[in-house]
Coordinates of all heavy atoms in Angstrom, one line a residue:
S1 N 249.4 75.2 107.6 CA 249.1 74.2 108.6 C 247.6 73.8 108.4 O 247.3 72.6 108.5 CB 249.2 74.8 110.0 OG 248.7 74.0 111.0
I2 N 246.7 74.7 108.1 CA 245.3 74.4 107.9 C 245.1 73.5 106.7 O 244.3 72.6 106.7 CB 244.5 75.7 107.8 CG1 244.5 76.4 109.2 CG2 243.0 75.4 107.4 CD1 243.9 77.8 109.1
I3 N 245.8 73.8 105.6 CA 245.7 73.0 104.4 C 246.1 71.6 104.6 O 245.4 70.7 104.2 CB 246.6 73.7 103.3 CG1 246.0 75.0 102.8 CG2 246.7 72.7 102.0 CD1 246.9 75.8 101.9
N4 N 247.2 71.4 105.3 CA 247.7 70.1 105.6 C 246.7 69.4 106.6 O 246.5 68.2 106.4 CB 249.1 70.1 106.3 CG 250.2 70.6 105.3 OD1 250.0 70.4 104.1 ND2 251.2 71.2 105.8
L5 N 246.2 70.1 107.6 CA 245.2 69.5 108.5 C 244.0 69.0 107.7 O 243.5 67.9 108.0 CB 244.8 70.5 109.5 CG 243.7 70.1 110.5 CD1 244.2 68.9 111.3 CD2 243.4 71.3 111.5
R6 N 243.5 69.9 106.9 CA 242.3 69.5 106.1 C 242.5 68.2 105.2 O 241.7 67.3 105.3 CB 241.9 70.6 105.1 CG 240.7 70.2 104.3 CD 240.4 71.3 103.2 NE 239.2 70.9 102.4 CZ 238.7 71.6 101.4 NH1 239.3 72.8 101.1 NH2 237.7 71.2 100.8
H7 N 243.7 68.2 104.6 CA 244.0 67.0 103.7 C 244.1 65.8 104.6 O 243.7 64.7 104.2 CB 245.3 67.2 103.0 CG 245.1 68.3 101.9 ND1 246.2 68.8 101.2 CD2 244.0 68.8 101.3 CE1 245.8 69.7 100.3 NE2 244.4 69.7 100.4
G8 N 244.7 65.9 105.8 CA 244.9 64.7 106.6 C 243.6 64.2 107.2 O 243.3 63.0 107.2
L9 N 242.7 65.1 107.6 CA 241.4 64.8 108.1 C 240.5 64.1 107.0 O 239.8 63.1 107.2 CB 240.6 66.0 108.7 CG 241.2 66.5 110.0 CD1 240.6 67.8 110.3 CD2 241.1 65.5 111.1
E10 N 240.6 64.7 105.8 CA 239.8 64.1 104.7 C 240.3 62.7 104.3 O 239.6 61.8 103.9 CB 239.9 65.1 103.5 CG 239.0 66.3 103.7 CD 239.1 67.3 102.6 OE1 240.2 67.3 101.8 OE2 238.2 68.2 102.4
A11 N 241.6 62.5 104.4 CA 242.2 61.2 104.1 C 241.7 60.1 105.1 O 241.7 59.0 104.8 CB 243.8 61.3 104.1
L12 N 241.3 60.6 106.3 CA 240.8 59.7 107.3 C 239.3 59.5 107.2 O 238.7 58.8 107.9 CB 241.1 60.2 108.7 CG 242.6 60.3 109.1 CD1 242.8 61.0 110.4 CD2 243.1 58.8 109.2
G13 N 238.7 60.2 106.2 CA 237.3 59.9 105.9 C 236.3 61.0 106.4 O 235.1 60.9 106.3
H14 N 236.9 62.1 107.0 CA 236.0 63.1 107.6 C 235.7 64.2 106.5 O 236.4 64.3 105.5 CB 236.8 63.9 108.7 CG 237.2 62.9 109.8 ND1 236.2 62.3 110.6 CD2 238.4 62.5 110.3 CE1 236.8 61.6 111.5 NE2 238.1 61.7 111.4
E15 N 234.6 64.8 106.7 CA 234.1 65.9 105.8 C 234.5 67.2 106.5 O 234.1 67.5 107.6 CB 232.6 65.9 105.6 CG 232.2 66.9 104.6 CD 230.7 66.8 104.3 OE1 230.0 66.1 105.0 OE2 230.2 67.4 103.3
V16 N 235.3 68.0 105.8 CA 235.9 69.2 106.4 C 235.5 70.4 105.6 O 235.6 70.5 104.4 CB 237.5 69.1 106.4 CG1 238.1 70.4 107.1 CG2 237.9 67.9 107.1
Y17 N 235.0 71.4 106.4 CA 234.6 72.7 105.8 C 235.6 73.8 106.4 O 236.0 73.7 107.6 CB 233.2 73.1 106.2 CG 232.2 72.4 105.5 CD1 231.8 71.1 105.9 CD2 231.6 72.9 104.3 CE1 230.7 70.4 105.2 CE2 230.6 72.2 103.6 CZ 230.2 71.0 104.1 OH 229.2 70.3 103.4
I18 N 236.0 74.7 105.6 CA 236.8 75.8 106.0 C 235.9 77.1 106.0 O 235.3 77.4 105.1 CB 238.0 76.1 105.1 CG1 238.8 74.8 104.9 CG2 238.9 77.2 105.6 CD1 239.5 74.3 106.1
V19 N 235.9 77.8 107.2 CA 235.2 79.0 107.3 C 236.2 80.2 107.4 O 236.9 80.2 108.4 CB 234.2 79.0 108.5 CG1 233.3 80.3 108.5 CG2 233.3 77.7 108.5
A20 N 236.2 81.0 106.4 CA 237.3 82.0 106.3 C 236.8 83.3 105.7 O 235.8 83.4 105.1 CB 238.5 81.4 105.4
P21 N 237.6 84.4 105.9 CA 237.2 85.7 105.4 C 237.2 85.7 103.9 O 238.0 85.0 103.2 CB 238.3 86.6 105.9 CG 238.9 85.9 107.1 CD 238.8 84.5 106.7
A22 N 236.3 86.5 103.3 CA 236.3 86.7 101.8 C 237.5 87.6 101.5 O 237.9 88.4 102.3 CB 235.0 87.3 101.4
T23 N 238.0 87.4 100.3 CA 239.1 88.2 99.8 C 238.7 88.8 98.5 O 238.3 88.1 97.6 CB 240.4 87.3 99.6 OG1 240.7 86.7 100.8 CG2 241.5 88.1 99.1
R24 N 238.9 90.1 98.4 CA 238.5 90.8 97.2 C 239.2 90.3 96.0 O 240.4 90.1 96.0 CB 238.8 92.3 97.4 CG 238.4 93.2 96.2 CD 238.7 94.7 96.5 NE 237.8 95.2 97.5 CZ 237.9 96.5 97.9 NH1 238.7 97.3 97.4 NH2 237.1 96.9 98.9
G25 N 238.4 90.1 95.0 CA 239.0 89.6 93.7 C 239.2 88.1 93.6 O 239.5 87.6 92.5
H26 N 238.9 87.4 94.7 CA 239.0 86.0 94.7 C 237.7 85.3 94.6 O 236.8 85.5 95.4 CB 239.7 85.5 96.0 CG 239.8 84.0 96.1 ND1 240.7 83.2 95.3 CD2 239.1 83.1 96.9 CE1 240.5 82.0 95.6 NE2 239.6 81.9 96.6
K27 N 237.5 84.5 93.5 CA 236.2 83.9 93.3 C 236.3 82.4 93.8 O 237.2 81.6 93.3 CB 235.8 83.8 91.8 CG 234.5 83.2 91.5 CD 234.1 83.2 90.1 CE 232.8 82.6 89.8 NZ 232.4 82.7 88.4
E28 N 235.5 82.1 94.8 CA 235.6 80.8 95.5 C 235.0 79.7 94.6 O 233.8 79.9 94.2 CB 235.0 80.8 96.8 CG 235.3 79.6 97.7 CD 236.8 79.3 97.8 OE1 237.4 80.1 98.5 OE2 237.3 78.4 97.2
T29 N 235.7 78.6 94.4 CA 235.2 77.5 93.6 C 235.0 76.2 94.4 O 234.5 75.2 93.9 CB 236.1 77.2 92.4 OG1 237.4 76.9 92.9 CG2 236.1 78.4 91.5
D30 N 235.5 76.2 95.6 CA 235.4 75.0 96.5 C 234.2 75.1 97.3 O 234.0 76.0 98.2 CB 236.7 75.0 97.4 CG 236.8 73.7 98.2 OD1 235.7 73.1 98.5 OD2 237.9 73.4 98.6
D31 N 233.3 74.2 97.2 CA 232.0 74.2 97.9 C 232.1 73.9 99.4 O 231.1 73.9 100.2 CB 230.9 73.3 97.3 CG 231.3 71.8 97.2 OD1 232.4 71.5 97.8 OD2 230.5 71.1 96.7
H32 N 233.3 73.5 99.8 CA 233.6 73.2 101.2 C 234.3 74.4 101.9 O 234.8 74.2 103.0 CB 234.3 71.9 101.4 CG 233.4 70.7 101.4 ND1 232.6 70.4 100.4 CD2 233.1 69.8 102.3 CE1 231.8 69.4 100.6 NE2 232.2 68.9 101.8
I33 N 234.4 75.5 101.2 CA 235.0 76.7 101.8 C 233.9 77.8 101.9 O 233.3 78.1 100.9 CB 236.2 77.3 101.0 CG1 237.3 76.2 101.0 CG2 236.7 78.6 101.6 CD1 238.5 76.7 100.2
I34 N 233.6 78.2 103.1 CA 232.5 79.2 103.3 C 233.2 80.5 103.6 O 233.9 80.6 104.6 CB 231.6 78.7 104.5 CG1 231.0 77.3 104.2 CG2 230.6 79.7 104.8 CD1 230.4 76.7 105.4
R35 N 232.9 81.5 102.8 CA 233.5 82.8 103.0 C 232.6 83.7 103.8 O 231.4 83.7 103.6 CB 233.8 83.4 101.6 CG 234.8 82.6 100.8 CD 236.2 82.8 101.4 NE 237.2 82.0 100.6 CZ 238.5 82.1 100.8 NH1 239.0 82.8 101.7 NH2 239.3 81.4 100.0
V36 N 233.2 84.5 104.6 CA 232.5 85.5 105.5 C 232.9 86.9 105.1 O 234.1 87.1 104.8 CB 232.9 85.2 107.0 CG1 232.2 86.3 107.9 CG2 232.5 83.8 107.4
F37 N 231.9 87.8 105.0 CA 232.2 89.1 104.6 C 233.4 89.7 105.4 O 233.5 89.5 106.6 CB 231.0 90.0 104.8 CG 231.2 91.5 104.6 CD1 231.4 92.0 103.4 CD2 231.4 92.3 105.7 CE1 231.6 93.4 103.1 CE2 231.6 93.7 105.5 CZ 231.7 94.2 104.3
A38 N 234.3 90.4 104.7 CA 235.5 90.9 105.4 C 235.8 92.3 104.9 O 235.4 92.7 103.8 CB 236.7 90.0 105.2
V39 N 236.6 93.0 105.7 CA 237.1 94.4 105.3 C 238.6 94.4 105.4 O 239.2 93.6 106.1 CB 236.4 95.5 106.1 CG1 234.9 95.6 105.9 CG2 236.8 95.3 107.6
D40 N 239.2 95.3 104.8 CA 240.6 95.5 104.9 C 240.9 96.8 105.8 O 240.8 97.9 105.3 CB 241.3 95.7 103.5 CG 242.8 95.8 103.6 OD1 243.3 95.7 104.7 OD2 243.5 95.9 102.6
P41 N 241.2 96.6 107.0 CA 241.5 97.7 107.9 C 242.8 98.4 107.6 O 243.1 99.5 108.2 CB 241.4 97.1 109.3 CG 241.9 95.7 109.1 CD 241.4 95.3 107.7

């Protein structure tokens, strides 16, 4: 749902940032995704 929402908003000309937990082993390459320190409980 979030992926589709982001694409829809960007198609309308908005600048969209995603603020989400960091995932171990995943290297973020999208400068509009902001990762937040996270743990695996």
Side-chain angles (χ1 to χ4, degrees):
S1 172
I2 294 168
I3 293 170
N4 291 334
L5 175 62
R6 178 187 181 182
H7 290 166
L9 290 171
E10 289 176 338
L12 293 173
H14 301 294
E15 185 177 14
V16 181
Y17 287 84
I18 306 294
V19 187
T23 301
R24 180 178 295 181
H26 175 72
K27 184 177 181 180
E28 190 56 69
T29 58
D30 188 331
D31 62 3
H32 277 58
I33 297 178
I34 301 168
R35 295 290 180 172
V36 178
F37 173 75
V39 297
D40 184 358

